[in-house]
Amino acid sequence: MTDSPEYHQHEEFQLRSQKLASIRQLNVSPYPHKFTPHHSAALLQQNYQNQTIGHSEDGAAGSTPHVVVAGRLVLFRSMGKNAFGHIQDDTGRIQVMFNKDITTVSGYTPSSPDEPEHLSSMKFIEKKIDLGDIIGIEGHLFHTNKGELTIFVHKVTLLCKTLLPLADKHGGLADKELRYRKRWLDLITHTDVANTFRMRTKILRLIRNYFEAQEFIEVETPILQSIYGGAEARPFITKLNALDQEMFMRISLEIPLKKLIVGGMNRVYEIGKVFRNEGIDRTHNPEFTMVEAYASYWDYNDMMCFVENLFEKLALAIHGTTKIEITNPEDPEQAPITLDLKAPWKRMTMKESIEVYGKINVDSLNDDQIRRLLIESGEFDPKKIAASSRGLLIAGLFEIYVEPHLIQPHHITDHPIETTPLCKPHRNAKEHAEGLVERFESFILTREICNAYTELNDPEIQRDLLVGQAKRREAGDEEASPLDEEFLEAICQGMPPTGGVGIGIDRLVMILTNTHSIRDVLFFPWMKTQ
């Protein structure tokens, strides 16, 4: 037998349950099937706040605009013959006024005043309807003496009797973890949270418009995969019972999208969830949203222009300017940072950035000297440093000495080949000889927000690199991917010169909404089970 939840013992739950039973006994439906609001709070405020529409007497007489709204009752105060409240819908709030003589309750017929259990419509509202209940309102607009736009309620319809109260905005819902865990309460209580998610939806729509204007086709590829790849990350493992087969949640969108490029779909993109079984912090969640795109006959230079123009257009569409003010999450009192997303962005090779921001000339150091610098930083496992190649050591220097300085938008280009097995070696002989590839990562506010390549389409080099990665996995590297023979077969079929890019949608939304935790832009971020 399942035990009842703890909140069933709360006094408020029990009182509301008793009211629910009473409402049913009065033959009022507490959960009707349908109600059609014709107006929203925001549009009413916009259209009528500054119009002369009359006073309460006009609203009572029905000579002012007739409106029908629905939402939660979030404020109620009785003032004798009248009672005032606020209705909150998904656009905002509007004041309503219930009147003892005029307001009726849909489906409720008051008993005779002589009966002991007599309840007028007004008393029904006061005694049976609680804050948080969802109600429908039909009435006429007027302005109070203080000028507040108000609906004179002629009829109220109970749409949903709630059994739990609204959270106390300043007490019960101040805990950030509780807000993330019970997002529905957060959305009801904090309108700015709902605005952030509406902005996220708008950003996704603008991204799609941008890609489609560049003749990309949106596609969908499998989330469950028999072999994972396209990034260095530990996967989530599951099982396909029908085939008794181990399966993996995808860690990247890359491999199937490249197969479509091989198949002749010259420009493709996908917006979708990827899953990485790794750390959780302010900028990482085990599942997150990415957009990945591939364009035949492009290279990483084309992708750099494509990315910075996307960010510029998003900023202009949302803020009307490429300059965005960002508050410092560590010190909100500090003057905000003004980001400028206007194209073109600063471009630096990885080695140049280490010299400019870290004051280190990589070419003047041997491998042991770089190892000492990394070990002295205290940021890396000495055993891992001892086993790392020169390219990975250089990438480590970049992480320590450069990333904290990348506040304004930067493209960091020409990475060591060891950092990725899927990127094309550099076209210039000198960089090629140094083991550099045509890769760039874009950084804003010290965070990587974009990763892009001139894609590798040489099947022999591709095999060597993927075999090397598979050997690392066999040696115990949990983030290295297994060998994907099907992908190698597709590359042998022929992939044209291609530019590819992956952009983290959540981090992009964080920047454009001045938000400092990935949990604030995910409806339901991962939370430890209670």
Side-chain angles (χ1 to χ4, degrees):
M1 182 175 178
T2 304
D3 293 334
S4 61
E6 184 265 342
Y7 66 79
H8 278 198
Q9 309 309 315
H10 293 181
E11 181 182 10
E12 185 72 22
F13 178 86
Q14 294 177 356
L15 287 173
R16 289 179 181 233
S17 297
Q18 291 168 11
K19 290 181 183 181
L20 174 60
S22 174
I23 290 168
R24 294 187 196 276
Q25 289 175 354
L26 293 170
N27 294 319
V28 175
S29 172
Y31 306 106
H33 290 77
K34 184 177 173 64
F35 183 88
T36 304
H38 298 154
H39 309 86
S40 70
L43 276 178
L44 290 177
Q45 299 283 6
Q46 179 182 320
N47 294 337
Y48 294 103
Q49 181 58 52
N50 298 318
Q51 281 195 30
T52 302
I53 54 174
H55 298 290
S56 59
E57 297 83 1
D58 305 300
S63 60
T64 61
H66 174 259
V67 297
V68 181
V69 299
R72 287 186 188 272
L73 183 67
V74 293
L75 183 145
F76 184 88
R77 59 183 186 274
S78 182
M79 303 178 69
K81 188 175 181 179
N82 297 316
F84 286 85
H86 282 172
I87 296 296
Q88 177 175 298
D89 63 15
D90 65 335
T91 69
R93 293 184 178 189
I94 190 165
Q95 181 165 273
V96 296
M97 188 183 83
F98 306 95
N99 177 267
K100 178 183 176 182
D101 298 324
I102 293 178
T103 303
T104 62
V105 176
S106 179
Y108 175 63
T109 304
S111 57
S112 165
D114 326 341
E115 297 182 21
E117 295 299 319
H118 169 69
L119 277 179
S120 66
S121 292
M122 191 66 152
K123 285 298 180 183
F124 181 98
I125 294 168
E126 291 177 356
K127 292 183 175 295
K128 305 302 180 184
I129 294 180
D130 292 298
L131 294 183
D133 287 358
I134 301 172
I135 58 177
I137 295 292
E138 183 176 349
H140 293 264
L141 294 174
F142 72 95
H143 282 117
T144 64
N145 293 334
K146 292 183 178 180
E148 183 168 359
L149 184 67
T150 305
I151 303 173
F152 195 114
V153 181
H154 284 240
K155 183 164 70 173
V156 58
T157 303
L158 179 60
L159 301 177
C160 180
K161 180 65 192 166
T162 58
L163 299 183
L164 287 172
L166 293 175
D168 176 3
K169 182 174 182 179
H170 301 291
L173 210 59
D175 183 344
K176 268 279 191 178
E177 182 173 336
L178 180 63
R179 291 174 60 183
Y180 296 142
R181 193 178 295 280
K182 299 185 178 182
R183 182 66 87 185
W184 64 92
L185 292 178
D186 194 23
L187 290 166
I188 293 169
T189 309
H190 300 98
T191 56
D192 58 319
V193 172
N195 291 337
T196 295
F197 287 112
R198 288 193 184 91
M199 187 66 72
R200 181 187 175 105
T201 297
K202 181 177 180 179
I203 289 167
L204 287 169
R205 183 172 66 248
L206 291 168
I207 290 171
R208 285 187 165 94
N209 292 343
Y210 180 77
F211 275 97
E212 287 166 12
Q214 299 290 328
E215 300 181 343
F216 282 78
I217 297 172
E218 183 173 12
V219 298
E220 292 180 299
T221 61
I223 291 173
L224 282 176
Q225 300 178 341
S226 57
I227 296 180
Y228 62 92
E232 292 203 354
R234 285 191 299 174
F236 286 93
I237 303 171
T238 185
K239 183 180 179 182
L240 178 57
N241 289 333
L243 300 179
D244 192 25
Q245 179 178 332
E246 184 177 65
M247 301 291 285
F248 306 93
M249 306 289 281
R250 65 186 178 191
I251 61 172
S252 168
L253 310 175
E254 181 166 354
I255 301 301
L257 290 177
K258 283 186 175 178
K259 291 176 182 176
L260 298 181
I261 292 288
V262 171
M265 300 185 74
N266 281 346
R267 294 187 186 182
V268 294
Y269 79 100
E270 180 173 6
I271 296 175
K273 292 277 191 182
V274 295
F275 308 83
R276 297 182 184 177
N277 200 351
E278 51 193 26
I280 302 173
D281 59 29
R282 193 164 59 84
T283 60
H284 293 86
N285 194 68
E287 59 173 320
F288 58 98
T289 304
M290 288 194 70
V291 55
E292 287 201 29
Y294 295 85
S296 300
Y297 313 112
W298 284 17
D299 66 5
Y300 76 148
N301 294 304
D302 297 307
M303 275 299 174
M304 269 185 264
C305 296
F306 184 78
V307 167
E308 62 195 15
N309 287 332
L310 168 63
F311 275 70
E312 179 182 271
K313 287 182 181 296
L314 290 174
L316 288 170
I318 292 164
H319 297 288
T321 175
T322 59
K323 293 183 177 180
I324 303 173
E325 287 199 346
I326 305 291
T327 54
N328 184 342
E330 310 301 332
D331 186 4
E333 302 301 318
Q334 191 181 41
I337 299 164
T338 300
L339 284 181
D340 193 349
L341 300 180
K342 183 176 177 58
W345 295 358
K346 186 176 289 187
R347 303 183 184 191
M348 307 175 81
T349 68
M350 181 174 283
K351 285 187 179 181
E352 287 172 346
S353 71
I354 294 171
E355 185 158 9
V356 170
Y357 294 113
K359 310 303 179 188
I360 298 170
N361 185 328
V362 171
D363 292 333
S364 69
L365 301 177
N366 62 37
D367 293 359
D368 287 338
Q369 289 172 315
I370 299 176
R371 286 190 176 95
R372 278 198 297 273
L373 285 172
L374 294 176
I375 291 170
E376 287 169 4
S377 74
E379 298 291 331
F380 295 97
D381 180 355
K383 291 182 180 179
K384 191 169 183 180
I385 293 299
S388 294
S389 64
R390 183 174 179 83
L392 293 177
L393 294 175
I394 292 171
L397 287 178
F398 170 79
E399 183 178 333
I400 296 298
Y401 292 101
V402 179
E403 286 188 12
H405 298 281
L406 303 181
I407 307 296
Q408 295 296 331
H410 283 68
H411 296 306
I412 303 298
T413 69
D414 301 353
H415 296 226
I417 195 169
E418 297 95 325
T419 63
T420 174
L422 297 166
C423 187
K424 202 159 193 171
H426 210 289
R427 70 192 73 186
N428 295 335
K430 178 176 177 294
E431 285 78 5
H432 190 122
E434 291 177 8
L436 301 181
V437 293
E438 293 195 354
R439 174 190 187 188
F440 75 87
E441 289 181 312
S442 302
F443 287 80
I444 301 175
L445 295 173
T446 76
R447 300 191 292 262
E448 176 210 335
I449 48 87
C450 166
N451 186 25
Y453 310 150
T454 301
E455 301 293 341
L456 181 58
N457 63 345
D458 182 324
E460 294 179 338
I461 297 176
Q462 183 70 91
R463 174 171 287 278
D464 289 343
L465 291 170
L466 289 180
V467 166
Q469 190 177 62
K471 286 179 179 177
R472 282 172 44 211
R473 181 172 181 267
E474 290 167 4
D477 187 341
E478 294 181 322
E479 293 190 347
S481 299
L483 187 64
D484 188 341
E485 283 289 359
E486 186 176 271
F487 174 61
L488 288 170
E489 180 185 346
I491 296 299
C492 286
Q493 216 78 54
M495 185 174 82
T498 298
V501 65
I503 302 172
I505 294 293
D506 308 311
R507 292 183 182 179
L508 168 58
V509 174
M510 287 169 65
I511 291 166
L512 292 173
T513 59
N514 189 16
T515 305
H516 304 297
S517 171
I518 196 169
R519 293 181 172 189
D520 290 321
V521 298
L522 300 174
F523 276 110
F524 300 102
W526 176 251
M527 304 295 294
K528 187 176 181 180
T529 303
Q530 289 184 319

